């Protein structure tokens, strides 16, 4: 099941936030070794603002099996703050109609590969649906170039914003690599592509429309 | 560098935009080759590393190297010795043929394989690997007489490779879906494959059908050929898949 939370709900939905921040610590700091600030085993940064949107993919027992954070690029943008050089096609990284997808994590289940495809697709198609229902034009993201083909495989409409550039000393340095920025249009076609990838019903109405429209009312651009 | 530094990103991004509008396999190939030619690459081989049960032929998305070169390469079984290929085992990053020459101490026989390609119009090339979400590894390998291998050209090629690979694969899979054809089995071959599927030997089948076991073998061989299978186990799988037999 997909759950949508807004940053401003951090008090009332404390349980979910607590779990998610701990999981982010496990995945990004312990697992991937990213140099991020952390307190008491929780990873929280300057982009965890009130207007941030969190999508959590919950298993039956409320265990988080994947999550993603969407931030309004207009005033919260990793691309603008740290990776402006990744944009080579002249678009502005800050745009009221563009949200940025960050802290995407997905905990692979032991089991069939297809189940993992479905779980991944559920989270990401939900993310694009949310953007679509909120009349956004794009969702933008920075990823390691190694992971990039996976996003193109899922969404053929993926728009690269520039060429890959090295980070942390480039590919030959330990912990370094190359990264690339891209956008997904917030369209039904993109939702359909992700659903198709996950083997989900492509023609089904937007799955999370009720929950999402309720949330969307609270969003002010 | 034949292009200004900015030109590389512009080229690659334009390439992607135009590629996304194309539908048919032929259009896509033409577009990719035209772009690669701008970087000095005349040839392209694009394939996935075959999984168990897949033949190399099924995993080839595109190949326009000269036919006699392909034949020579496969008859000499170069794929096992070619240092540009064996490098794939230890290097996930993009690399060129000349990088392999520079960074590895090669045997003369290995150098010869790279040198030989010159006679067929390729002095250097790039090897770009693409790992899919299912964990399949694919290779996008353009080559030519004097390709542009500057750092910016390489990053541009990376983007070109990722999009080209997925576009080719999608178009080809669609084509295959549109025309899944197989040569139908004869009633006798079908009958015999049915017995093979339940584990009977050729001798046993011969006794059941009152024919010589060599005749049975011949029928099985014919069925294997029609089902594009090297071994009878796979022939049984294919026969079930095509609905020729059932269990």
């Amino acid at each position: 099941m997909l759950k949508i939370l807004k940053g401003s709900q951090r008090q009332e939905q404390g349980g979910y936030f607590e779990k998610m921040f701990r999981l982010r610590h496990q995945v990004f700091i312990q697992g991937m070794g990213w140099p991020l600030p952390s307190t008491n085993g929780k990873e929280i940064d300057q982009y965890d603002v009130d207007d941030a949107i969190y999508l959590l993919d919950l298993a039956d027992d409320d265990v988080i099996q994947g999550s993603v954070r969407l931030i309004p690029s207009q005033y919260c943008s990793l691309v603008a703050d740290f990776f402006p050089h990744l944009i080579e096609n002249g678009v502005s990284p800050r745009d009221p109609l563009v949200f940025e997808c960050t802290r995407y994590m997905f905990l692979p289940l032991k089991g069939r590969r297809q189940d993992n495809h479905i779980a991944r697709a559920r989270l990401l198609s939900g993310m694009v649906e949310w953007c679509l229902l909120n009349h956004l034009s794009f969702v933008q993201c920075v990823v390691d170039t190694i992971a990039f083909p996976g996003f193109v495989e899922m969404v053929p409409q993926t728009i690269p914003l520039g060429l890959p550039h090295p980070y942390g000393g480039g590919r030959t340095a330990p912990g370094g690599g190359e990264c690339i920025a891209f956008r997904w249009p917030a369209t039904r076609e993109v939702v359909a592509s992700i659903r198709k990838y996950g083997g989900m019903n492509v023609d089904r109405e937007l799955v999370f429309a009720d929950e999402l429209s309720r949330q969307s009312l609270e969003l002010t651009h | 560098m034949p292009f200004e530094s900015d030109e590389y990103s512009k080229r690659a991004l334009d390439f992607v935009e135009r590629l996304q509008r194309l539908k048919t396999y032929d259009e896509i190939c033409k577009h990719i080759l035209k772009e690669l030619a701008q970087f000095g690459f005349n040839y392209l081989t694009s394939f996935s590393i075959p999984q168990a049960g897949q033949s190399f032929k099924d995993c080839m998305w595109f190949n326009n190297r000269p036919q006699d070169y392909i034949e020579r390469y496969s008859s000499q079984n170069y794929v096992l010795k070619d240092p540009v290929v064996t490098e794939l085992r230890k290097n996930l990053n993009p690399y060129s043929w000349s990088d392999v020459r520079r960074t590895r101490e090669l045997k003369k026989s290995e150098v010869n394989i790279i040198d030989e390609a010159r006679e067929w119009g390729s002095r250097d090339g790039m090897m770009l690997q693409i790992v899919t979400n299912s964990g399949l590894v694919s290779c996008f390998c353009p080559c030519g007489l004097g390709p542009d291998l500057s750092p910016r050209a390489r990053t541009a090629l990376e983007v070109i490779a990722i999009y080209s690979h997925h576009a080719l694969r999608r178009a080809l899979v669609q084509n295959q879906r549109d025309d899944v054809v197989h040569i139908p089995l004869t009633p006798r071959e079908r009958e015999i494959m049915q017995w093979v599927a339940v584990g009977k030997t050729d001798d046993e089948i011969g006794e059941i059908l009152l024919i010589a076991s060599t005749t049975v073998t011949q029928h099985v061989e014919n069925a294997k050929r029609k089902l594009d299978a090297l071994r009878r186990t796979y022939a049984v799988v294919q026969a079930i898949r095509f609905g020729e037999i059932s269990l």
Side-chain angles (χ1 to χ4, degrees), chain B residues 91-241:
Chain B
N91 195 349
L92 203 60
N93 293 329
Y95 59 86
S96 71
W97 300 3
S98 41
D99 293 344
V100 177
R101 275 178 197 268
R102 208 171 37 243
T103 53
R104 263 169 67 181
E105 255 184 57
L106 300 179
K107 284 185 256 169
K108 188 142 190 348
S109 60
E110 292 177 316
V111 174
N112 284 346
I113 296 178
I114 304 183
D115 285 344
E116 215 183 82
R118 279 185 204 189
E119 293 169 36
W120 282 276
S122 291
R123 266 206 197 96
D124 209 340
M126 281 297 291
M127 294 292 276
L128 299 125
Q129 291 182 76
I130 298 149
V131 182
T132 66
N133 286 329
S134 339
L136 278 180
V137 179
S138 300
C139 303
F140 189 84
C141 323
C143 58
L145 277 176
D148 178 1
L149 297 172
S150 62
R152 284 288 276 176
R154 289 178 186 225
T155 49
L157 275 173
E158 236 181 296
V159 171
I160 291 170
I162 292 168
Y163 279 90
S164 301
H165 164 74
H166 284 303
L168 287 172
R169 194 186 52 87
R170 259 193 304 271
L172 216 51
V173 168
Q174 191 57 47
N175 281 358
Q176 282 166 358
R177 253 182 227 148
D178 291 346
D179 50 28
V180 178
V181 284
H182 79 284
I183 308 164
L185 302 184
T186 62
R188 196 57 154 177
E189 285 162 357
R190 202 174 301 131
E191 188 179 17
I192 287 171
M193 286 312 292
Q194 188 73 55
W195 285 113
V196 172
V198 295
K200 299 286 184 205
T201 64
D202 288 359
D203 282 343
E204 289 165 340
I205 299 170
E207 282 171 26
I208 295 167
L209 300 177
L210 301 173
I211 53 175
S213 76
T214 49
T215 314
V216 176
T217 310
Q218 193 53 52
H219 282 304
V220 174
E221 287 306 311
N222 289 343
K224 273 161 66 179
R225 190 174 42 74
K226 288 180 177 176
L227 296 165
D228 200 16
L230 283 175
R231 302 191 189 285
R232 55 179 64 201
T233 322
Y234 187 54
V236 168
V237 173
Q238 290 284 75
I240 295 170
R241 187 185 285 168

Side-chain angles (χ1 to χ4, degrees), chain A residues 51-211:
Chain A
D51 282 338
I53 302 292
Y54 302 87
L55 279 91
L56 309 182
D57 185 26
L58 301 172
D60 293 340
D61 41 4
D62 256 8
V63 171
I64 299 175
Q65 47 188 2
S67 79
V68 67
R69 176 181 66 184
L70 279 172
I71 50 178
S73 70
Q74 177 79 329
Y75 50 95
C76 286
S77 168
L78 201 70
V79 177
D81 294 345
F82 297 99
F83 301 103
H85 55 288
L86 295 186
I87 298 190
E88 299 182 87
N89 66 348
V91 302
S92 166
R94 295 189 190 279
D95 187 318
L97 294 181
V98 176
F99 267 49
E100 213 163 282
C101 158
T102 55
R103 297 290 188 271
Y104 164 55
M105 59 180 176
F106 166 69
L107 305 171
L109 305 165
K110 280 185 188 147
R112 290 188 317 138
R113 192 171 272 160
Q114 188 57 28
D115 291 338
N116 287 335
H117 281 203
I118 294 170
R120 219 189 286 246
R122 193 166 48 220
L123 184 63
L124 293 178
S125 64
M127 176 183 82
V128 179
E129 280 181 30
W130 185 87
C131 295
L132 181 60
L133 288 161
N134 282 286
H135 312 292
L136 300 181
S137 45
F138 296 101
V139 48
Q140 83 186 8
C141 191
V142 174
V143 294
D144 192 296
T145 313
I146 293 197
F148 184 57
F151 290 90
V152 178
E153 183 182 351
M154 209 184 294
V155 179
Q157 299 91 335
T158 302
I159 303 165
L161 302 181
L163 298 183
H165 285 264
Y167 68 86
R171 278 182 174 144
T172 48
E178 288 192 352
C179 54
I180 185 166
F182 70 87
R183 280 181 178 180
W184 278 353
T187 58
R188 278 179 186 269
E189 289 73 42
V190 170
V191 173
S193 296
I194 304 174
R195 286 183 181 177
K196 194 170 160 196
Y197 164 85
M200 298 156 74
N201 183 353
V202 174
D203 302 320
R204 201 164 136 193
E205 262 309 288
L206 296 181
V207 181
F208 310 106
D210 288 348
E211 168 91 351

Side-chain angles (χ1 to χ4, degrees), chain B residues 44-57:
Chain B
L44 170 67
T45 311
S46 172
F47 61 94
S48 295
I49 311 269
Q51 298 288 93
Q54 280 182 313
S55 73
F56 202 64
K57 203 178 70 195

Side-chain angles (χ1 to χ4, degrees), chain A residues 32-60:
Chain A
M32 300 174 80
W34 290 4
L36 301 170
S38 77
T39 39
N40 299 330
K42 290 187 274 188
E43 185 268 304
I44 303 173
D45 71 5
Q46 69 270 37
Y47 300 115
D48 288 303
V49 293
D50 280 357
D51 282 338
I53 302 292
Y54 302 87
L55 279 91
L56 309 182
D57 185 26
L58 301 172
D60 293 340

